[in-house]
Amino acid sequence: MSSTSSEIRSQKRFYSGRKVLVAGGAGFIGSFLVDRLLDFGAKVSVLLRPSTDPWRLRHLHGRVRLFRVDLNDRRMRDILKRERPSVVFNLAARVNSASGHNAFRATLVENVTNAFRLLEAARFAGVERFVQTGTIAEYGRGAVPFREGQRERPTSAYAVTKVMATHCALWFGAASGMGVMVVRPAATFGPRQAPGMLVPNLIV
């Protein structure tokens, strides 16, 4: 659903001059979020893994602050404390289609444990709002069309851990008083998307 002109003006008023941190901002969806935040006048910082190639952000050279740090690194908390963002978006995740105990363990750490670490760091830094990014895959075998309030029925280790991260974030917000919300993007596609995804393959 596209935003109305009044909604866009309201978003610009909210973000103008505000510090925002995006974990996973070098990814497909994250890079477009960074673009929009800059358009709204936000001061944007991005957390990305040390091994990540930030090619999707090269057109923004000098306009964003990049911090290469894993979410399980204590320096991540120090960065948030120093930057003191008003809003944090968490788009960092491991998308893993593999099965088995070892695959689930790695996905669990990346998508749940690290999300909790970022939530803790955000609260410690006095963040006002935290946005956890989920996925339509959380609904899995659920009845269609999917509705926000229905029970999730995940079918992969990735989807299971994203469900866990969703409820972890919502619980953390209720327990800590920090404003927390979850969004679940569905069937996103467009420029900068990695090959191998459904829609790019169909277009090619």
Side-chain angles (χ1 to χ4, degrees):
M1 182 181 296
S2 60
S3 299
T4 65
S5 296
S6 61
E7 288 173 337
I8 292 174
R9 287 195 297 271
S10 176
Q11 290 167 0
K12 285 184 176 180
R13 285 195 298 270
F14 176 80
Y15 284 109
S16 181
R18 194 178 293 267
K19 287 187 174 182
V20 181
L21 183 140
V22 183
F28 163 51
I29 298 176
S31 66
F32 281 99
L33 172 62
V34 170
D35 281 344
R36 179 55 66 93
L37 289 168
L38 289 171
D39 289 344
F40 287 166
K43 300 175 181 178
V44 183
S45 299
V46 172
L47 298 184
L48 66 161
R49 293 187 182 94
S51 61
T52 297
D53 178 359
W55 63 270
R56 294 183 178 93
L57 301 176
R58 284 179 185 150
H59 65 291
L60 301 175
H61 180 70
R63 297 185 63 196
V64 297
R65 292 168 60 84
L66 301 181
F67 296 96
R68 292 183 174 275
V69 63
D70 287 318
L71 296 187
N72 62 1
D73 190 322
R74 181 167 178 81
R75 290 180 301 157
M76 180 268 292
R77 175 176 287 201
D78 295 335
I79 290 169
L80 264 72
K81 184 179 179 181
R82 184 172 64 251
E83 292 296 300
R84 301 193 70 81
S86 297
V87 183
V88 169
F89 289 87
N90 182 26
L91 291 94
R94 174 188 288 262
V95 182
N96 192 342
S97 60
S99 59
H101 179 75
N102 290 335
F104 180 79
R105 181 188 295 273
T107 309
L108 180 69
V109 171
E110 290 280 353
N111 295 344
V112 183
T113 305
N114 285 352
F116 187 77
R117 287 172 174 144
L118 187 58
L119 283 159
E120 285 190 313
R123 182 177 64 84
F124 183 72
V127 168
E128 299 171 17
R129 300 186 183 183
F130 187 103
V131 182
Q132 170 68 22
T133 304
T135 169
I136 194 175
E138 294 176 50
Y139 295 115
R141 293 196 181 95
V144 294
F146 299 142
R147 302 184 184 280
E148 290 183 3
Q150 74 184 62
R151 182 174 180 177
E152 304 95 336
R153 296 184 63 190
T155 60
S156 66
Y158 167 67
V160 168
T161 56
K162 293 300 285 184
V163 170
M164 295 171 69
T166 287
H167 289 280
C168 175
L170 294 174
W171 169 82
F172 191 97
S176 69
M178 182 171 64
V180 173
M181 70 182 323
V182 174
V183 295
R184 286 171 170 162
T188 53
F189 68 95
R192 308 179 202 162
Q193 191 167 28
M197 304 301 287
L198 174 62
V199 175
N201 284 348
L202 292 175
I203 293 174
V204 171

